Amino acid sequence: MLCENNVLSQNCCVVDTLNENLNSIVTIYTDCFCFTGLLLAVTECACKLITRCSKGCPPSNNVFGKVTVIPLCKIDAVTLCNTSS
């Protein structure tokens, strides 16, 4: 399945790297935000993380994370946090 505007061919390395690090903590940088969380899933077009709630979340929801879906075409950089040398 190709993403919008044939983005799949441009993101193959990102998809492969993210798939190799499923169930790991990663930090994903976009042009506006930085997301750190548990990498749950990767498709040809997006990745899904469980991230911590921000301080602006209602107090009753602070103990739970939230699911964040990031389109691959918006990713500028990825930091793999659970790698060992």
Side-chain angles (χ1 to χ4, degrees):
M1 172 186 286
L2 288 177
C3 298
E4 194 173 307
N5 299 323
N6 272 339
V7 174
L8 178 61
S9 61
Q10 299 170 6
N11 291 322
C12 287
C13 292
V14 173
V15 170
D16 291 343
T17 300
L18 291 174
N19 272 319
E20 291 171 4
N21 289 281
L22 287 175
N23 299 315
S24 297
I25 304 297
V26 297
T27 300
I28 296 181
Y29 302 88
T30 66
D31 58 348
C32 298
F33 298 103
C34 168
F35 302 93
T36 298
L38 180 66
L39 182 62
L40 294 179
V42 180
T43 67
E44 296 88 2
C45 299
C47 64
K48 186 186 296 186
L49 302 173
I50 294 179
T51 57
R52 292 183 188 171
C53 284
S54 64
K55 293 180 182 178
C57 291
S60 62
N61 292 333
N62 275 343
V63 295
F64 301 110
K66 62 181 180 176
V67 174
T68 303
V69 177
I70 305 167
L72 293 184
C73 61
K74 300 292 184 184
I75 294 176
D76 290 334
V78 175
T79 300
L80 306 172
C81 302
N82 286 345
T83 60
S84 58
S85 309

